Amino acid sequence: MGTRQKSAAKQKELLQKGIELLWERGYNNVSVRDIVQAASVPKGSFYFYFDSKEDFVSQAIEAYYQSSLSEIQLEGTALERLRKILEMRRDSMLGQACLRGCMMLNLSAEIGVTHAEIRELIRQRWDNVAQPVKDLVREAQENGEIHPEMSLEHLAEGIEMTWRGAVVTAKATQDPATLDRALDLIFNRIIH
């Protein structure tokens, strides 16, 4: 393995170990020392790969976001595909037993006010995650599945806010049924 490959592998390992720590403990309860110890590298090595803890967190958010993307082909009406997307999100949360919630939600709640660059990156990634929802709501309106007079922006935003609230609640209560109740609310109350 060449030097570049070793370097890239070590950076990836630091990110993977650090993401786990951030996800479990949060920003304020994870130090650079914790990250390098988890990855079994000297502390100075951290600064070879990252300019600062904030730079690390930004790259961790990006890696987390990229890992959540999947190339899926969904079939059915726009509303059926929207339901499938949200069910996939639910299933992802259930796979981790709701213990950790969403890393981006966790971080935004903890450091959203104090770290403008990180807050902006999270907002951008949330916009990316919300785009398929918005696209499917638009398609559903165009196909007559949703009343066309409902505001596309407000409806898509309401779906995302409902879902994010359910994720936070499921984490706080350790009640996975919260996610099913959110799906019911979205498809039987918000969209009708």
Side-chain angles (χ1 to χ4, degrees):
M1 186 181 294
T3 304
R4 273 194 193 157
Q5 288 175 316
K6 286 180 185 177
S7 181
K10 187 51 69 179
Q11 182 177 22
K12 184 176 180 179
E13 184 177 354
L14 280 163
L15 278 170
Q16 288 172 338
K17 299 291 186 181
I19 285 170
E20 291 300 316
L21 290 172
L22 285 172
W23 209 347
E24 290 173 19
R25 298 188 204 167
Y27 180 86
N28 291 320
N29 292 319
V30 173
S31 67
V32 169
R33 183 175 181 225
D34 295 330
I35 296 166
V36 297
Q37 283 181 341
S40 300
V41 299
K43 187 173 182 178
S45 296
F46 180 89
Y47 295 104
F48 177 76
Y49 300 105
F50 308 102
D51 294 336
S52 62
K53 183 178 174 184
E54 290 77 13
D55 178 45
F56 169 82
V57 171
S58 294
Q59 290 189 46
I61 290 167
E62 190 61 32
Y64 173 82
Y65 168 74
Q66 292 297 327
S67 73
S68 70
L69 298 178
S70 58
E71 295 293 323
I72 53 167
Q73 298 297 323
L74 299 174
E75 296 183 13
T77 67
L79 282 183
E80 289 169 343
R81 287 180 281 144
L82 177 59
R83 179 179 282 280
K84 287 177 186 173
I85 285 173
L86 293 175
E87 287 172 347
M88 288 170 52
R89 288 184 187 178
R90 177 202 58 206
D91 294 347
S92 174
M93 291 295 301
L94 295 177
Q96 53 170 312
C98 299
L99 291 174
R100 298 188 296 178
C102 167
M103 189 182 81
M104 288 193 303
L105 278 172
N106 297 348
L107 287 172
S108 68
E110 183 180 7
I111 64 173
V113 176
T114 57
H115 297 279
E117 287 180 26
I118 295 171
R119 181 180 63 237
E120 178 58 22
L121 178 60
I122 291 171
R123 188 198 61 75
Q124 289 170 7
R125 293 302 160 250
W126 275 347
D127 287 350
N128 295 134
V129 169
Q131 190 60 50
V133 170
K134 184 185 277 187
D135 293 343
L136 287 168
V137 168
R138 178 181 294 113
E139 184 180 334
Q141 283 184 319
E142 291 169 356
N143 294 340
E145 296 176 78
I146 299 175
H147 197 283
E149 291 181 15
M150 294 180 78
S151 165
L152 169 66
E153 296 293 327
H154 290 140
L155 187 53
E157 186 176 278
I159 291 168
E160 285 296 331
M161 287 189 305
T162 300
W163 187 254
R164 291 176 193 157
V167 169
V168 170
T169 302
K171 177 186 175 191
T173 63
Q174 289 299 290
D175 181 7
T178 302
L179 303 173
D180 288 320
R181 289 191 296 274
L183 285 172
D184 180 63
L185 178 65
I186 290 167
F187 288 98
N188 296 316
R189 301 283 185 238
I190 297 174
I191 299 174
H192 56 282

